[in-house]
Amino acid sequence: MSVATQPKPDTAETNRSHRDMANAIRALAMDAVQKANSGHPGMPMGMADVATVLFRDFMRIDPSKPDWPDRDRFVLSNGHGSMLLYAIHHLLGYADMTIDEIKNFRQIGSRTAGHPEYGHALGIETTTGPLGQGIATAVGMALAERMHNARFGDDLVDHRTYVIAGDGCLMEGISHEAIDLAGHLKLNKLVVLFDDNGISIDGKTSLATSMDQVARFKAAGWNAVHVDGHDQEAVRAALEEAQTSDKPTMIACKTIIGFGAPKLAGSEKSHGAALGDEEIAGARKALAWTSEPFVLPDPVVKAWREIAEKGAGIRAEWEKRHAAAANKVVFDASVRCDLPADFAEKMAGYRRQLAEEKPKLATRKSSEATLNFVNDLTELTVGGSADLTHSVFTLTKGMQSVQADSYGGRYIHYGIREHAMAAAMNGLALHGGFIPYGGTFLVFSDYMRGGMRLSAIMSQRVIYVLTHDSIGLGEDGPTHQPIEHLAMLRATPNYLVFRPADAIETAEAWEIALTEKRPSVLSLSRQNLPTVRAHDVSQNLSRKGAYVLKESDGERDVTILATGSEIEIALNAADKLSGEGIKAAVVSMPCWRLFEEQDAGYRKSVIGTAPRVAIEAAGDFGWDRWIGETGRFIGMHGFGASGPAPKLYEHFGITADAAVKAAKELCGK
């Protein structure tokens, strides 16, 4: 195999055309970064040859219809090299990626953000930038393709997921989780092109790693090979072989970062800063690129636009198959993730059933019961767990497991890979056809924070079933008892964090999570909780975020606010206060964000003007907004301890008596 070298004169017309197509990427990248005086020119310049081969000879996309369901997906995992993607999109003729957008790289309001952002420009399949997230999200996309194919067949679903990833992506721990899962599931439509340039920000990667990545991927069940990333024929041959692989494929492309730059090529200095006018002039000479900045030769543009024309033809052929498909209506509804038309009506009936039965269940079990009902209503829901299926109760009757070469099931065993689970669920949601939910303990939201944050940034309907949500889990102790986690999740923009009090609120939370185009967390108890709201189920009151569960008899002396398992404590405290002539109302607050989104008049009617006490078996951060400066908080002020749950509540003073005492002090009684 040849070693990557600096460009040499090439007289063959075909090779010159291919070289110029790649050099157009390099020129746009270094010019845009130079104009912005910000960005990362090195990776786009190094991977331009690889990307040219990929898009010219393999990618099945149509810029005129970028959301075509059976298109190939491309993920730029090392998103700092975003100018690679923007340059390609401009060259292919995406309507929104004009030369002015390239000139406005990294400027406020431009489509050319510093890292690719889903929804900011056509054809960006996922937000990347946090290293490792892209490759892990792509695993979810590739899995979604196989699962959708199992439902609708090759005529409607038969595409690939391609990833460009760098050394940083593969050093991040999430990459190990992701490639292990992909290899285990034999996701053969997944191809990773590794930018093996041996350079990171600090210098050579040998400063921090000695990993043989090809051997690592092979050990995880992938086909993996080395190629010269500047030998377009070698890259093409490796990609050709990947088309018939029965495993996912990793192609380690040996490249030179900043390829073409006379002084900075091969150096970390070309990674994250503008090259400078002198170096760019030298690169233009070395690359035999004579065009002025942001000017592209017509033959080069024509060659790239021919790729788009070919893609349009492939898409048109698919549309003919789609038009003739007997199941096209079902397929289209699946792609749109349309819930049944009578979904709200059926959920209202389910609430009425719960009101009659008044179950006493842990909300993790109430969640399971609701899922049993929901999973019979729609096949869009796809469940899973990070090896805690029988603790988080995410598997319902009749669900089959997704396995290698058998993708028709609806339940994914993610293994002990919380972070990859979050990213893969993002990929499932982004692909279309599924509403993913996955379960683990609330405390382990720490382990999947990066993926969860991207769910919110991209407004993806991903549902996190997080159980064992307080010191109420008991004997497993402080390592497993979440304290600060609710505050962290509530502080995350665009998240709906539900902490339901009983089976009815749990059903309401599921209904909202399934209908909202943003991520949700269901924070669920291990301990059994009584039904507290059987008297009023005609509406989904959790949709208001908070509501008066128990009003006082006359003007309030105090208002007790609580969530989840502590609602029972709040009701007991209100009864005790009533016995002493103190009028207490109880407000259930299952979802703070939804309450924040209500109008001021509604919020005031719920919170009232009386002094307030809040009860939650978690940290107090954020509660001051609801209780005011003079309010009292009954909850945790440190980490938990190991012991039976009832004893822990007594030990930490989270009791009805403590709430009564605080209320009486506030009322001066």
Side-chain angles (χ1 to χ4, degrees):
M1 189 67 65
S2 61
V3 177
T5 58
Q6 287 289 321
K8 297 178 180 179
D10 193 336
T11 57
E13 184 175 343
T14 300
N15 287 340
R16 183 166 60 248
S17 173
H18 294 176
R19 181 198 66 193
D20 288 346
M21 290 175 72
N23 286 343
I25 297 173
R26 295 185 173 105
L28 287 173
M30 60 186 182
D31 289 343
V33 172
Q34 182 70 15
K35 186 174 186 298
N37 195 28
S38 174
H40 301 77
M43 188 282 268
M45 296 174 73
M47 284 296 283
D49 293 308
V50 174
T52 298
V53 175
L54 173 63
F55 278 83
R56 186 188 62 220
D57 298 331
F58 296 95
M59 284 290 295
R60 299 163 64 253
I61 55 172
D62 179 7
S64 70
K65 195 167 184 179
D67 58 349
W68 159 43
D70 202 34
R71 68 193 180 278
D72 287 340
R73 269 64 169 179
F74 174 69
V75 174
L76 186 68
S77 189
N78 44 347
H80 56 266
S82 58
M83 267 310 305
L84 177 80
L85 183 60
Y86 303 147
I88 290 170
H89 280 200
H90 173 70
L91 290 162
L92 288 172
Y94 279 82
D96 64 341
M97 197 53 64
T98 64
I99 198 66
D100 285 336
E101 291 291 349
I102 301 295
K103 291 178 179 178
N104 285 324
F105 179 55
R106 286 188 162 224
Q107 304 308 302
I108 293 175
S110 74
R111 298 185 187 279
T112 46
H115 296 83
E117 295 183 32
Y118 174 79
H120 282 235
L122 298 174
I124 297 176
E125 301 286 1
T126 183
T127 296
T128 56
L131 295 179
Q133 288 293 329
I135 187 174
T137 302
V139 170
M141 292 178 178
L143 177 56
E145 188 276 340
R146 290 290 77 202
M147 293 172 67
H148 222 216
N149 172 272
R151 294 186 181 189
F152 295 102
D154 290 348
D155 279 352
L156 292 178
V157 184
D158 185 14
H159 54 267
R160 298 180 185 276
T161 303
Y162 294 98
V163 182
I164 285 180
D167 293 288
C169 293
L170 301 190
M171 280 192 237
E172 288 285 359
I174 190 176
S175 73
H176 181 79
E177 298 181 18
I179 68 171
D180 189 8
L181 180 62
H184 172 72
L185 291 174
K186 296 184 179 178
L187 300 180
N188 65 312
K189 297 292 187 76
L190 175 63
V191 179
V192 172
L193 296 152
F194 167 36
D195 180 16
D196 184 15
N197 61 32
I199 295 293
S200 63
I201 292 175
D202 281 0
K204 292 183 178 181
T205 55
S206 57
L207 290 169
T209 181
S210 303
M211 180 69 70
D212 181 338
Q213 293 292 355
V214 167
R216 175 192 178 207
F217 274 76
K218 285 181 177 179
W222 292 55
N223 287 326
V225 296
H226 289 282
V227 300
D228 178 348
H230 300 298
D231 182 341
Q232 293 198 13
E233 290 304 319
V235 174
R236 183 185 300 105
L239 281 166
E240 194 70 52
E241 187 173 343
Q243 306 305 301
T244 57
S245 175
D246 61 350
K247 303 174 182 178
T249 297
M250 189 275 265
I251 303 170
C253 305
K254 192 63 179 175
T255 62
I256 297 172
I257 191 171
F259 184 88
K263 297 178 182 177
L264 299 182
S267 165
E268 69 275 10
K269 293 179 181 178
S270 69
H271 167 78
L275 298 179
D277 291 335
E278 181 180 343
E279 190 74 358
I280 289 176
R284 274 183 154 75
K285 183 177 181 180
L287 297 170
W289 186 262
T290 58
S291 295
E292 294 297 312
F294 303 108
V295 176
L296 298 166
D298 289 340
V300 173
V301 174
K302 182 176 183 294
W304 276 101
R305 297 296 161 88
E306 286 173 356
I307 299 172
E309 291 171 9
K310 181 176 68 174
I314 295 170
R315 188 260 303 166
E317 291 173 5
W318 176 85
E319 287 184 341
K320 290 178 182 177
R321 297 195 302 273
H322 172 263
N327 56 350
K328 70 174 184 177
V329 173
V330 178
F331 173 81
D332 292 345
S334 173
V335 170
R336 294 191 303 267
C337 285
D338 290 345
L339 290 165
D342 61 352
F343 182 70
E345 179 184 341
K346 290 290 180 66
M347 293 303 294
Y350 182 61
R351 285 199 303 275
R352 290 193 295 271
Q353 175 187 328
L354 291 173
E356 292 172 3
E357 295 174 354
K358 299 180 179 62
K360 184 174 184 178
L361 295 171
T363 49
R364 62 173 178 158
K365 290 294 289 181
S366 297
S367 172
E368 178 189 37
T370 301
L371 275 172
N372 266 310
F373 185 78
V374 165
N375 287 341
D376 284 342
L377 291 179
T378 177
E379 293 189 350
L380 291 173
T381 46
V382 173
S385 167
D387 199 53
L388 286 168
T389 295
H390 303 296
S391 291
V392 297
F393 299 115
T394 42
L395 177 66
T396 64
K397 182 176 60 178
M399 295 183 85
Q400 299 298 313
S401 296
V402 174
Q403 293 293 327
D405 302 319
S406 180
Y407 304 104
R410 294 174 61 188
Y411 195 80
I412 303 165
H413 296 276
Y414 290 102
I416 307 168
R417 305 183 184 100
E418 291 90 352
H419 203 175
M421 178 175 74
M425 287 198 295
N426 285 338
L428 285 162
L430 287 161
H431 177 276
F434 305 102
I435 302 174
Y437 67 87
T440 185
F441 293 173
L442 176 58
V443 75
F444 299 138
S445 59
D446 284 338
Y447 281 4
M448 51 186 182
R449 170 68 177 159
M452 293 184 76
R453 187 169 186 265
L454 285 184
S455 299
I457 289 176
M458 296 187 288
S459 292
Q460 290 303 297
R461 183 165 37 181
V462 176
I463 303 170
Y464 295 90
V465 183
L466 305 183
T467 71
H468 296 60
D469 73 341
S470 72
I471 59 169
L473 70 88
E475 290 84 351
D476 279 341
T479 59
H480 284 53
Q481 292 166 2
I483 302 300
E484 69 277 25
H485 301 76
L486 284 170
M488 173 190 72
L489 292 167
R490 286 168 176 159
T492 305
N494 207 31
Y495 249 98
L496 298 180
V497 180
F498 296 94
R499 192 161 185 257
D502 64 3
I504 291 169
E505 284 193 359
T506 303
E508 291 178 332
W510 267 110
E511 180 183 356
I512 298 165
L514 288 164
T515 54
E516 286 276 340
K517 298 294 180 67
R518 50 181 160 174
S520 297
V521 163
L522 274 68
S523 174
L524 305 171
S525 75
R526 180 178 183 268
Q527 67 271 40
N528 288 339
L529 304 176
T531 298
V532 296
R533 212 194 82 218
H535 60 285
D536 185 5
V537 296
S538 61
Q539 299 181 60
N540 185 330
L541 295 182
S542 294
R543 202 174 284 280
K544 294 285 192 179
Y547 62 93
V548 180
L549 176 63
K550 175 186 172 62
E551 187 56 274
S552 62
D553 184 13
E555 186 176 349
R556 299 180 193 176
D557 293 317
V558 66
T559 300
I560 305 176
L561 314 174
T563 71
S565 47
E566 286 70 71
I567 285 289
E568 183 180 10
I569 295 173
L571 290 169
N572 289 339
D575 287 342
K576 290 188 175 187
L577 288 166
S578 179
E580 298 187 36
I582 299 174
K583 298 170 184 175
V586 175
V587 171
S588 179
M589 302 187 71
C591 183
W592 287 14
R593 188 168 305 282
L594 286 177
F595 188 54
E596 292 167 357
E597 293 173 359
Q598 307 307 308
D599 62 73
Y602 177 77
R603 293 199 304 268
K604 185 176 180 181
S605 71
V606 172
I607 294 292
T609 57
R612 300 164 205 153
V613 175
I615 314 174
E616 189 171 67
D620 63 350
F621 193 84
W623 273 107
D624 54 339
R625 173 175 182 182
W626 307 119
I627 62 177
E629 293 184 3
T630 60
R632 299 292 180 85
F633 177 75
I634 308 296
M636 297 298 294
H637 299 281
F639 294 111
S642 177
K647 296 291 186 182
L648 289 172
Y649 272 82
E650 292 176 14
H651 176 75
F652 289 107
I654 307 174
T655 64
D657 287 342
V660 167
K661 181 183 178 187
K664 291 170 72 174
E665 289 173 354
L666 284 174
C667 296
K669 297 184 179 180

